[in-house]
Amino acid sequence: MNMLEMSEAQRTELQARSALAIDGRGQELLLGLNAEESRFFIACMQRTPSRSAERERYAELKVRHEAARLKLASVDDESTGDEEGPPHLGHKF
């Protein structure tokens, strides 16, 4: 598995929010984002971008990520909850 580079504190926070997933190629991602978008998002979490275009992109990605995370959370509420670990995505972003 190819994991995203981030601090342990960030990983703990994202895992607690069920915000991480693994795609079909074994790449760790943020829910709703592809690999490049996930790396950009993590970098922005660590240091807020100074350029307006980067801040706008970060905001757009945050909306997509949160929508995907909330959608998964609502599906999880309907399941038995027996699954452990990050969700596996059956499709590519």
Side-chain angles (χ1 to χ4, degrees):
M1 176 170 55
N2 190 7
M3 298 178 72
L4 290 167
E5 291 185 32
M6 67 184 85
S7 70
E8 283 303 312
Q10 277 182 308
R11 182 170 300 285
T12 299
E13 175 190 344
L14 292 170
Q15 287 173 333
R17 293 178 31 226
S18 299
L20 298 171
I22 308 297
D23 72 5
R25 294 174 287 175
Q27 173 68 50
E28 183 179 49
L29 308 169
L30 292 168
L31 288 174
L33 306 182
N34 66 31
E36 185 276 327
E37 292 167 337
S38 295
R39 288 188 297 272
F40 177 82
F41 192 94
I42 296 293
C44 290
M45 287 176 67
Q46 294 169 345
R47 183 186 53 82
T48 303
S50 58
R51 294 188 348 204
S52 176
E54 290 177 336
R55 286 192 307 271
E56 287 176 25
R57 182 176 184 219
Y58 176 59
E60 290 170 8
L61 293 176
K62 188 171 187 171
V63 169
R64 267 190 27 219
H65 167 63
E66 286 300 315
R69 192 180 68 77
L70 292 173
K71 182 177 180 180
L72 181 65
S74 69
V75 170
D76 281 350
D77 286 345
E78 297 171 5
S79 74
T80 62
D82 293 338
E83 303 84 14
E84 291 196 19
H88 290 270
L89 305 174
H91 62 287
K92 297 177 184 174
F93 288 99

